[in-house]
Every structure is written in structure tokens, then in C-alpha cells.
Amino acid sequence: MLKKVDTVEQFNDLMKTEGEFYLLKHSLTCPISLAAYKEYEKFAGSNQEIPTYFLAVQDSRPLSNEIAERFEIKHESPQAILFSEGKPRWNASHWKITSRALKEAANGK
């Protein structure tokens, strides 16, 4: 199940409590982002051992900007980021966000 993150404070709590998790930056108006969201849901449904979160860029612009600036990852939407031990370990955007790619990144391939 995907959990929504809306604020910098919520994200900071995740960074403190989750050893490893995915975050998807999702645009509510983009068809490419919708396709990525569906792939992300597919991954989350079959890989429940890794927590999956998302933010809606239109609703959470300050959080999206904070992540881009703090981790020096150019903002894209859609964009999936795998965080591990408080750092981004992997990220992909647009059509590169597939259930298979997410699984391979989580498995360190």
C-alpha cells in the first residue's frame, strides 16, 4: 500500500524511522506520471518488504523542492527515489520507472 507524504516534517520522520524506502514524486496531471504510478503500485503490491511512499507534486511543492535541494537530485516528475540509511541510493524518472527497475534497484542490481 502506498502512503502519501505531504510535508517536510513527515519526510524527516521517515528519514529517522525507515532504514530503506521508496518515494515517488507524482504529478496529478501528467499521463507519463500516471503510468509510472501504476508501475510503482504494481511493485508495492508484490514487494511489501520495502515501504513505498509518494508525494503529489502539485500538493507538496515545498517538500519536492526540499528533496531536490537537500540531496542534489534534479527535480523530475515522475521520479522514483530509493532511500537507504538516510541517503538516496538510486533514482529514475519518466519511462524508466517500471516495477522491474524498482525491484532490481531494491535488490542492488
Side-chain angles (χ1 to χ4, degrees):
M1 166 134 178
L2 305 181
K3 296 166 225 115
K4 190 174 183 194
V5 179
D6 292 308
T7 67
V8 172
E9 292 77 21
Q10 289 173 323
F11 178 75
N12 288 339
D13 288 344
L14 285 179
M15 294 296 283
K16 291 175 191 170
T17 60
E18 298 283 10
E20 185 172 70
F21 66 95
Y22 270 109
L23 179 73
L24 177 72
K25 290 185 175 185
H26 173 53
S27 170
L28 301 172
T29 58
C30 171
I32 296 171
S33 193
L34 179 59
Y37 187 87
K38 287 180 180 181
E39 286 290 314
Y40 192 65
E41 277 185 315
K42 181 178 169 184
F43 168 81
S46 60
N47 296 276
Q48 297 179 6
E49 66 279 358
I50 183 162
T52 50
Y53 298 89
F54 77 99
L55 67 85
V57 176
Q58 290 87 340
D59 298 338
S60 305
R61 180 63 68 181
L63 174 56
S64 181
N65 291 343
E66 170 71 19
I67 292 168
E69 291 170 20
R70 186 190 312 182
F71 299 105
E72 298 179 354
I73 299 174
K74 180 186 172 211
H75 167 77
E76 297 191 69
S77 177
Q79 183 175 49
I81 306 170
L82 175 60
F83 289 94
S84 182
E85 305 302 322
K87 296 179 183 171
R89 189 174 91 197
W90 175 90
N91 74 85
S93 65
H94 296 82
W95 296 113
K96 293 178 183 168
I97 301 171
T98 64
S99 178
R100 181 178 177 178
L102 294 162
K103 185 172 185 169
E104 288 177 356
N107 292 332
K109 294 182 181 179

